[in-house]
């Protein structure tokens, strides 16, 4: 498989305020993907079920399972997705493949940085959680937390695999930048992750994408991404 990458930068506002609002036939979802935001989304959807046709989202991602919860609502209700400016991490991983038709703003930045398996808690993270404990109590708590978080990730991986199978999309779209020359480019350029052209997204099975002359993948000075233009 040959991968063609390029790097260029634009500017992008960095702060995203959290809100879930109804605007005509669209629910506008901004900020982190969370259980609370999803509850608001579902309430609006349920109370306007005959009216809602799309979700417009601006998000840097959020909790893995919250992302999959939102994706399942989108898929079940056959909603279109509109990405005006920014969609990263869980937003790109789950909402784009789950949605029906996709519309991207001309300057929208869309990026990936790994799948559920790559979100594994580091030992250092658990060390910080038990730093106030000592002796056998600290050791027991550390081992319990390690087992708990490993189980959380295993369950998320299984759910993620099942969803991608249902969506008929290749989950490698979430993993390409974790290995090979894309990973090398990410590390060399201190990028936050990677992004794809419309053709490259289609390679993985993403359908109903916008025409390539209406949107091109982008990176920003404050949020650098490696751009994957073609995969052969």
């Amino acid at each position: 498989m040959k991968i063609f990458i390029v790097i260029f930068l634009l500017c992008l506002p960095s702060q995203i305020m959290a809100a879930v609002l109804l605007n005509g036939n669209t629910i506008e979802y901004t900020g982190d993907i969370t259980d609370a935001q999803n509850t608001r989304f579902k309430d609006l959807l349920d109370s306007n079920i005959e009216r809602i046709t799309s979700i417009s989202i601006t998000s840097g991602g959020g909790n893995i399972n919250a992302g999959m919860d939102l994706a399942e609502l989108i898929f079940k209700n056959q909603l279109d997705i509109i990405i005006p400016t920014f969609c990263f991490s869980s937003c790109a991983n789950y909402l784009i493949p789950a949605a029906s038709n996709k519309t991207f703003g001309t300057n929208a930045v869309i990026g990936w940085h790994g799948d559920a398996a790559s979100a594994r808690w580091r030992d250092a993270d658990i060390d910080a959680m038990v730093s106030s404990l000592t002796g056998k109590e600290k050791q027991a708590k550390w081992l319990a937390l390690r087992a708990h978080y490993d189980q959380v990730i295993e369950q998320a991986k299984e759910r993620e695999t099942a969803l991608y199978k249902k969506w008929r999309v290749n989950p490698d779209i979430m993993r390409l930048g974790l290995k090979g020359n894309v990973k090398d480019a990410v590390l060399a350029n201190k990028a936050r992750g990677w992004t794809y052209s419309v053709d490259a997204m289609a390679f993985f099975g993403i359908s109903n994408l916008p025409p390539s002359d209406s949107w091109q993948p982008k990176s920003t000075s404050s949020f650098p991404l490696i751009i994957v233009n073609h995969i052969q």
Side-chain angles (χ1 to χ4, degrees), residues 8-12 109 190 192 219-225:
F8 62 93
L9 300 177
L10 297 174
C11 294
L12 180 75
V109 173
K190 298 181 180 179
R192 298 292 296 271
S219 177
T220 77
S221 56
S222 61
F223 206 89
L225 298 169

Side-chain angles (χ1 to χ4, degrees), residues 13-33:
S14 58
Q15 191 170 10
I16 304 173
M17 301 299 292
V20 181
L21 304 169
L22 181 62
N23 184 359
N25 296 333
T26 299
I27 298 177
E28 296 179 347
Y29 191 122
T30 57
D32 288 349
I33 300 172

Side-chain angles (χ1 to χ4, degrees), residues 209-224:
L209 288 158
S212 57
D213 60 357
S214 70
W215 177 83
Q216 295 291 323
K218 296 170 180 68
S219 177
T220 77
S221 56
S222 61
F223 206 89

Side-chain angles (χ1 to χ4, degrees), residues 22 24 27 42-53:
L22 181 62
I27 298 177
K42 188 175 186 303
D43 288 345
L44 286 174
L45 183 62
D46 289 346
S47 59
N48 298 275
I49 196 66
E50 300 298 327
R51 175 181 174 187
I52 303 303
T53 59

